[in-house]
Amino acid sequence: EQVAKLLELKAQLGTEEGKHKFVLKTPKGTRDYNPKQMAIREKVFNIIISTFKRHGAEVIDTPVFELKETLTGKYGEDSKLIYDLKDQGGELLSLRYDLTVPFARYLAMNKITNIKRYHIAKVYRRDNPAMTRGRYREFYQCDFDIAGQFDPMIPDAECLKIVHEILSGLQIGDFLIKVNDRRILDGMFAVCGVPDSKFRTICSTVDKLDKATWEDVKSEMVGEKGLSREAADRIGEYVQLHGGLGLIEQLLQDPKLSQNKLAQEGLGDMKLLFEYLTLFGIADKISFDLSLARGLDYYTGVIYEAILLQPRNAHKEEPVSVGSVAGGGRYDGLVGMFDPKGRKVPCVGVSIGIERIFSIMEQKVEASEEKIRTTETQVLVAAAQKKLLEERLKLISELWDSGIKAEMLYKKNPKLLNQLQYCEDNGIPLVAIIGEQELKDGVVKLRVVATREEIDVRRENLVEEIKRRTCQP
Amino acid sequence: EQVAKLLELKAQLGTEEGKHKFVLKTPKGTRDYNPKQMAIREKVFNIIISTFKRHGAEVIDTPVFELKETLTGKYGEDSKLIYDLKDQGGELLSLRYDLTVPFARYLAMNKITNIKRYHIAKVYRRDNPAMTRGRYREFYQCDFDIAGQFDPMIPDAECLKIVHEILSGLQIGDFLIKVNDRRILDGMFAVCGVPDSKFRTICSTVDKLDKATWEDVKSEMVGEKGLSREAADRIGEYVQLHGGLGLIEQLLQDPKLSQNKLAQEGLGDMKLLFEYLTLFGIADKISFDLSLARGLDYYTGVIYEAILLQPRNAHKEEPVSVGSVAGGGRYDGLVGMFDPKGRKVPCVGVSIGIERIFSIMEQKVEASEEKIRTTETQVLVAAAQKKLLEERLKLISELWDSGIKAEMLYKKNPKLLNQLQYCEDNGIPLVAIIGEQELKDGVVKLRVVATREEIDVRRENLVEEIKRRTCQP
């Protein structure tokens, strides 16, 4: 085995001797989707897309890469995770890091001031992936955004309603949506004595509170970021708070925060948001949480993040880690960064992080031992005897042309048993069997795989009979 | 204007003075899809995917990039068009150039010897794009492939049937599918006196015959590729031939070709293929064409390419260029190149080049002045008076929760006229109007936008009434 390892290493190093050996793998942090995984993925996408459409969203698409400078200065400390393309002459390009910056570029480029759109596509981050927990370097984002100048918190509330509808529809267990506001955070930093220049970097540190303890976060603030111990302690008091309308009222009266204009604005809007969420009937799943920061630079107002409250399969050996499955917020300045005249287009949106949802759904399917079909084939065209390839080709062609989903074995003379076995293996419900006698009689023997029932169907009625017996629910 | 250009240039060069200006564009050879284009794209995809599913295909997905070495040595002279990623530490990566090589890597990696799958995804080529003719650096491929050891030409014939079904279903005009075989080409090169070492490069040159004249192709063979004038002339005689079963029979008797084992094998299979295509009822759209070469290195047997026969809008100023819209062939050696023991998995497949199809469909839609809806919204929730925001939020939430596709204007007090205008602009068929009186009476006024008809519907019957009036065909 050691020898094998050495040989592989040698091959990787590209030694000259012998034939070059390929390393058979996908790039670090990426994966293929096999047909079963794709069937689950399609199911998840359908729930998400139908929710976006229910809210009247249009759909757009953008290229997988952007000019490098389009992405520059948008992601703060995360910019180091951007994949660049090699300079092969021409423009300098980078793979998209999210769908939000390309969306803002699209709006500015096309001078669009008003749109509600969704976009589902892969994004790329040179992160250290934890693939077992559904974290990858190439992963899907499903984004819904509302751009335009509107009355406060109405589109914001709709984004949260959408998250609620999607997570309910997916049936992946209980969830909670944490909400905060960048203005409240900035106001809080100000009254705690954080210098203006450190707002963003301290914000990034606060963002780690979902994975790290307050002690660790504090030591990063004081140690790495050079914040005073007193300021950090003051922040510590605030970021432990979470609640609903009551907490908002309390903070509106807070002796320090009530003196800060930004914080007051944020808290006022937060109150309005909770009123709308109550009308939507979803306020019980929303928690105003002062520890929620979100790392990205471009947020300017409300921010939110949805987490699953308990692993679906707590009894299993490798439980799915409970983590963020959706996030987003308001970014009123981003489009203006692309506009030559700095014209702003206020935006608010949400991104569904579906890789974790896939992981959970996959485990759920495996645990239930539910058999997932990966094709939709309605009928297998089979022969009872040899030398009937031509007849099978003629019949299957008729079926295809009538819109029937049909397969046949690619053998000249397959055994009937193998043909029936293929149906069992692939969940094909019907077999259309031709034999010498059937051809003479102008019929086809239609066999129901599950019951082994067989009936003769006149050839001209076959399409109708197959459709009748396999009408999709 | 000159000044503007200079300023832009200056900004691009990144001079220090002033604020950095963005160049607002997508990378060369790429484009965004706006909602209208996406609606067309979705229509085209639906036709293609339903055809693939009708033939019992599963679906897979692979990462957008592969290890660089995975792509090495697969594309012959086209390898220079591969996009590499920048070396940022770690593995060397390249963007996929097609979906076939990733598919072969997937099969070898997972030791799959038998699968029928489709894969729809973007691929990347650093080509000189002619975007007006639907050629891009980032473009979709829709691939269908059958892998496995089967009886000759049965899966091959199905691939051609699929192309026929898709191009018929899209209704983009008359088409022709050219067919040839790499073994016939190689046999022809051999009997014409082309040295073995020049087969592939001469094949690439022959491939240009669809765009260049025979004179130009010949001069490249003789000039650049160093082929003898006599050999080139002999090739010239063959590559002008095209036809059906008659031509196959004739070449099987050809004094030179009949002496070549490879050519005989290819011609024998070609005859079988035409028999199957006749059973499928599609032989009239297929032309056995000795000039068809296809540039890629990995083909080993039958190859094919579908072309549109006439531009849809010949009368328009910028007619769509008539070109290849699908292509593929047999590649029995590719999977073996990835297998450590060289185990072969015979494969045959087809790739639908849908960018050109999009271009044609877009022009068709524009010419017809057909109005395309970009959302599926069934009803707008509107208010007849001011101060009804809360009531609108409550009603729309009820509708969403009942699966109705509903929108509202994001204003506290929108004017009724503006709300009705929004429906006109966006093709929303119904308006659910609330007013003080309706709230008292427990009804909603349902207005049909097209007819301006208005009826009062009891609140508890509203969902049913909307569903009844907007049941999708």
Side-chain angles (χ1 to χ4, degrees):
Chain A
E1 203 203 342
Q2 285 252 308
V3 177
K5 268 190 189 163
L6 273 171
L7 280 173
E8 198 196 2
L9 206 65
K10 215 165 149 191
Q12 283 184 50
L13 290 169
T15 48
E16 281 110 85
E17 346 162 10
K19 207 180 147 189
H20 180 76
K21 281 211 185 91
F22 290 100
V23 184
L24 266 181
K25 65 185 288 294
T26 60
K28 183 182 176 191
T30 69
R31 61 161 168 177
D32 298 318
Y33 285 82
N34 66 33
K36 267 196 188 159
Q37 292 167 323
M38 287 298 281
I40 296 169
R41 189 171 116 175
E42 215 167 302
K43 204 176 138 194
V44 173
F45 277 158
N46 282 342
I47 290 172
I48 293 172
I49 291 172
S50 64
T51 305
F52 291 160
K53 285 189 174 177
R54 195 160 54 242
H55 287 259
E58 304 183 281
V59 56
I60 70 160
D61 194 19
T62 65
V64 80
F65 41 60
E66 295 279 343
L67 298 184
K68 186 175 161 60
E69 61 176 2
T70 299
L71 307 190
T72 304
K74 309 297 187 305
Y75 301 108
E77 296 181 0
D78 289 344
S79 296
K80 62 182 182 295
L81 303 180
I82 294 173
Y83 277 98
D84 292 329
L85 267 72
K86 190 169 155 185
D87 183 1
Q88 294 170 293
E91 301 160 332
L92 291 180
L93 307 174
S94 300
L95 297 186
R96 62 183 162 210
Y97 181 85
D98 64 11
L99 303 178
T100 309
V101 169
F103 175 55
R105 190 267 306 147
Y106 174 84
L107 295 185
M109 189 173 132
N110 297 290
K111 298 192 173 54
I112 295 166
T113 55
N114 201 320
I115 191 173
K116 177 164 56 181
R117 79 90 183 82
Y118 71 93
H119 186 187
I120 296 185
K122 288 173 176 173
V123 302
Y124 299 87
R125 301 186 182 179
R126 291 179 49 255
D127 218 333
N128 276 322
M131 295 196 286
T132 48
R133 290 187 293 146
R135 286 178 66 96
Y136 293 87
R137 288 184 158 199
E138 172 187 61
F139 59 98
Y140 268 101
Q141 284 196 334
C142 303
D143 279 23
F144 172 94
D145 294 83
I146 301 171
Q149 185 70 58
F150 301 118
D151 281 326
M153 308 317 280
I154 309 177
D156 314 59
E158 184 169 4
C159 288
L160 293 172
K161 176 80 171 94
I162 284 175
V163 175
H164 190 281
E165 285 178 25
I166 288 172
L167 294 181
S168 306
L170 288 170
Q171 298 179 292
I172 44 168
D174 205 9
F175 60 89
L176 183 74
I177 309 175
K178 296 180 184 176
V179 186
N180 198 0
D181 193 297
R182 269 289 164 89
R183 292 166 297 175
I184 300 175
L185 277 168
D186 285 352
M188 176 184 88
F189 292 146
V191 304
C192 290
V194 179
D196 281 19
S197 62
K198 290 209 164 108
F199 277 15
R200 281 289 168 271
T201 186
I202 292 298
C203 197
S204 292
T205 306
V206 168
D207 193 40
K208 294 176 184 166
L209 270 174
D210 56 339
K211 282 161 209 145
T213 64
W214 167 247
E215 292 316 312
D216 291 340
V217 166
K218 182 180 164 185
S219 96
E220 181 176 316
M221 285 182 182
V222 177
E224 285 176 44
K225 308 275 167 101
L227 192 67
S228 75
R229 198 165 292 274
E230 297 70 36
D233 283 336
R234 272 178 237 130
I235 293 173
E237 277 169 40
Y238 282 114
V239 296
Q240 287 170 49
L241 302 174
H242 53 91
L245 264 176
L247 177 60
I248 300 169
E249 299 285 7
Q250 177 195 321
L251 291 179
L252 276 166
Q253 309 301 328
D254 183 89
K256 282 180 286 177
L257 281 182
S258 62
Q259 302 306 309
N260 183 285
K261 198 166 158 279
L262 261 185
Q264 285 293 302
E265 269 179 42
L267 286 164
D269 276 350
M270 188 61 70
K271 194 176 159 188
L272 200 56
L273 179 66
F274 265 81
E275 284 165 16
Y276 295 159
L277 297 176
T278 305
L279 290 167
F280 283 160
I282 61 169
D284 60 317
K285 295 272 189 221
I286 319 278
S287 167
F288 170 43
D289 189 323
L290 281 141
S291 74
L292 179 71
R294 292 190 64 73
L296 300 176
D297 262 16
Y298 49 65
Y299 291 117
T300 54
V302 64
I303 50 178
Y304 32 80
E305 201 164 285
I307 53 164
L308 296 181
L309 282 185
Q310 60 207 18
R312 277 296 295 198
N313 304 305
H315 58 288
K316 289 200 53 163
E317 276 171 49
E318 293 176 67
V320 173
S321 103
V322 180
S324 158
V325 289
R330 179 162 281 284
Y331 49 102
D332 288 348
L334 191 57
V335 179
M337 288 174 76
F338 290 106
D339 189 280
K341 290 178 186 159
R343 276 168 298 209
K344 287 189 176 179
V345 178
C347 294
V348 64
V350 65
S351 181
I352 313 291
I354 56 168
E355 303 297 336
R356 286 183 188 190
I357 294 170
F358 285 153
S359 295
I360 294 164
M361 298 286 270
E362 262 186 82
Q363 291 207 4
K364 201 175 145 186
V365 166
E366 265 170 47
S368 74
E369 282 167 36
E370 181 189 343
K371 220 190 163 187
I372 288 196
R373 277 197 75 180
T374 54
T375 69
E376 298 175 9
T377 308
Q378 296 164 294
V379 63
L380 185 86
V381 172
Q385 293 107 23
K386 288 191 174 183
K387 298 199 180 168
L388 289 170
L389 172 61
E390 299 198 351
E391 291 298 337
R392 279 191 295 143
L393 290 172
K394 253 159 69 179
L395 178 58
I396 201 168
S397 182
E398 282 173 35
L399 294 179
W400 285 331
D401 292 344
S402 304
I404 300 290
K405 294 169 190 148
E407 286 186 73
M408 57 177 271
L409 297 201
Y410 301 123
K411 297 274 173 192
K412 274 177 94 160
N413 296 309
K415 289 182 182 141
L416 187 56
L417 206 66
N418 291 345
Q419 296 175 85
L420 297 179
Q421 188 59 47
Y422 185 85
C423 292
E424 297 274 1
D425 294 345
N426 294 281
I428 301 174
L430 298 173
V431 197
I433 306 170
I434 355 182
E436 300 292 355
Q437 193 57 46
E438 283 81 9
L439 286 170
K440 266 183 216 151
D441 298 347
V443 299
V444 170
K445 203 179 279 303
L446 196 63
R447 179 186 169 109
V448 181
V449 175
T451 62
R452 299 181 184 188
E453 175 198 357
E454 286 188 352
I455 48 158
D456 280 353
V457 179
R458 293 213 55 78
R459 185 113 172 191
E460 59 270 26
N461 301 332
L462 183 62
V463 167
E464 217 42 57
E465 187 64 24
I466 293 170
K467 280 186 184 165
R468 200 179 62 73
R469 285 171 178 269
T470 55
C471 59
Q472 258 93 40
Chain B
E1 203 202 342
Q2 286 251 308
V3 177
K5 269 190 189 161
L6 273 170
L7 281 172
E8 197 195 1
L9 207 63
K10 217 165 149 191
Q12 284 184 50
L13 291 169
T15 48
E16 281 110 85
E17 348 161 11
K19 208 182 148 192
H20 181 75
K21 280 212 184 88
F22 290 98
V23 184
L24 265 181
K25 65 187 286 293
T26 60
K28 184 180 176 191
T30 68
R31 60 161 165 176
D32 297 318
Y33 286 83
N34 66 34
K36 268 197 186 157
Q37 292 166 325
M38 287 298 282
I40 296 169
R41 188 171 116 177
E42 215 168 301
K43 204 175 137 194
V44 173
F45 277 158
N46 282 342
I47 290 172
I48 293 172
I49 291 172
S50 63
T51 305
F52 291 159
K53 287 190 172 174
R54 195 159 55 244
H55 288 258
E58 305 183 281
V59 57
I60 69 159
D61 194 19
T62 64
V64 79
F65 41 60
E66 295 278 344
L67 298 185
K68 187 174 162 60
E69 60 176 2
T70 299
L71 307 190
T72 304
K74 308 299 186 307
Y75 301 108
E77 297 181 0
D78 289 343
S79 296
K80 62 181 183 296
L81 303 180
I82 294 173
Y83 277 98
D84 292 329
L85 267 71
K86 190 169 155 185
D87 183 0
Q88 293 171 292
E91 300 160 333
L92 291 180
L93 307 174
S94 301
L95 296 186
R96 62 183 163 211
Y97 181 84
D98 63 11
L99 303 178
T100 309
V101 169
F103 175 55
R105 191 266 307 147
Y106 174 83
L107 295 185
M109 190 173 131
N110 297 289
K111 298 191 173 53
I112 296 166
T113 56
N114 201 319
I115 191 173
K116 177 163 56 180
R117 79 90 183 82
Y118 71 92
H119 186 187
I120 296 185
K122 289 173 176 174
V123 302
Y124 299 87
R125 301 186 183 178
R126 291 179 48 256
D127 218 334
N128 274 322
M131 295 196 286
T132 49
R133 290 187 291 147
R135 287 178 65 97
Y136 293 87
R137 288 184 157 197
E138 173 187 60
F139 59 97
Y140 268 101
Q141 284 196 334
C142 303
D143 279 23
F144 171 94
D145 294 83
I146 301 171
Q149 186 71 57
F150 301 117
D151 282 325
M153 307 319 278
I154 308 178
D156 314 59
E158 184 169 3
C159 288
L160 293 173
K161 177 79 170 94
I162 283 176
V163 175
H164 190 281
E165 285 177 25
I166 288 172
L167 294 181
S168 306
L170 288 170
Q171 298 180 294
I172 45 170
D174 205 9
F175 60 88
L176 183 73
I177 308 175
K178 297 180 183 175
V179 185
N180 198 0
D181 193 299
R182 269 287 164 90
R183 292 165 298 173
I184 300 174
L185 277 167
D186 285 353
M188 175 185 89
F189 292 145
V191 304
C192 290
V194 178
D196 283 18
S197 62
K198 290 210 163 105
F199 277 16
R200 281 288 169 271
T201 185
I202 292 298
C203 197
S204 291
T205 307
V206 168
D207 192 42
K208 295 177 182 166
L209 270 174
D210 57 337
K211 282 162 209 146
T213 64
W214 166 246
E215 293 314 314
D216 291 339
V217 166
K218 182 182 163 184
S219 99
E220 181 176 316
M221 285 180 180
V222 177
E224 286 177 44
K225 309 276 167 102
L227 192 67
S228 75
R229 197 165 292 276
E230 297 70 36
D233 283 335
R234 273 178 236 127
I235 292 173
E237 278 168 39
Y238 283 115
V239 295
Q240 287 169 49
L241 302 173
H242 54 90
L245 264 175
L247 176 61
I248 300 169
E249 300 285 3
Q250 177 195 320
L251 291 178
L252 276 165
Q253 310 301 326
D254 182 88
K256 282 180 288 177
L257 280 182
S258 61
Q259 302 306 309
N260 182 285
K261 197 167 157 280
L262 260 186
Q264 286 292 301
E265 268 180 41
L267 287 164
D269 276 350
M270 188 61 70
K271 194 175 159 187
L272 200 56
L273 179 66
F274 265 82
E275 284 166 18
Y276 296 159
L277 297 176
T278 306
L279 290 166
F280 283 161
I282 61 169
D284 59 316
K285 295 274 189 219
I286 319 278
S287 168
F288 170 43
D289 189 323
L290 282 142
S291 74
L292 178 70
R294 293 191 62 75
L296 300 176
D297 263 15
Y298 49 64
Y299 291 117
T300 54
V302 64
I303 49 178
Y304 32 79
E305 200 164 286
I307 54 165
L308 296 181
L309 282 184
Q310 59 206 18
R312 278 293 298 197
N313 303 306
H315 58 284
K316 287 202 53 164
E317 277 172 48
E318 293 175 67
V320 174
S321 103
V322 180
S324 158
V325 289
R330 178 162 282 284
Y331 49 102
D332 288 348
L334 191 57
V335 179
M337 289 174 75
F338 289 106
D339 190 280
K341 291 179 186 158
R343 278 168 298 208
K344 285 189 178 182
V345 178
C347 295
V348 64
V350 65
S351 181
I352 313 292
I354 56 167
E355 303 297 336
R356 286 182 187 191
I357 294 170
F358 286 153
S359 295
I360 295 164
M361 298 285 269
E362 262 185 83
Q363 290 207 5
K364 203 175 142 185
V365 167
E366 266 171 47
S368 75
E369 283 167 35
E370 182 189 342
K371 220 189 162 187
I372 288 194
R373 277 197 74 180
T374 55
T375 69
E376 298 175 9
T377 308
Q378 296 165 294
V379 62
L380 185 87
V381 173
Q385 293 108 21
K386 289 191 174 182
K387 299 197 178 166
L388 289 170
L389 172 62
E390 299 197 350
E391 292 299 336
R392 280 191 294 142
L393 290 172
K394 253 159 70 180
L395 178 58
I396 200 167
S397 183
E398 281 173 36
L399 295 179
W400 285 331
D401 292 344
S402 305
I404 299 290
K405 294 169 190 147
E407 287 186 71
M408 57 177 271
L409 296 202
Y410 302 122
K411 297 275 173 191
K412 275 178 93 161
N413 296 309
K415 289 184 182 139
L416 188 56
L417 206 66
N418 291 345
Q419 297 176 85
L420 297 179
Q421 188 58 45
Y422 185 85
C423 293
E424 297 275 1
D425 295 344
N426 294 281
I428 300 174
L430 298 173
V431 197
I433 305 171
I434 358 182
E436 300 292 353
Q437 193 57 48
E438 283 81 8
L439 284 170
K440 264 182 218 151
D441 299 347
V443 298
V444 171
K445 204 179 279 303
L446 196 63
R447 179 185 168 110
V448 180
V449 176
T451 62
R452 299 182 183 186
E453 175 199 355
E454 286 187 354
I455 49 158
D456 280 352
V457 180
R458 293 214 55 80
R459 186 116 172 187
E460 59 270 28
N461 301 331
L462 183 62
V463 168
E464 218 41 59
E465 187 64 25
I466 293 170
K467 280 187 184 165
R468 201 179 61 74
R469 285 173 178 268
T470 56
C471 59
Q472 259 92 40

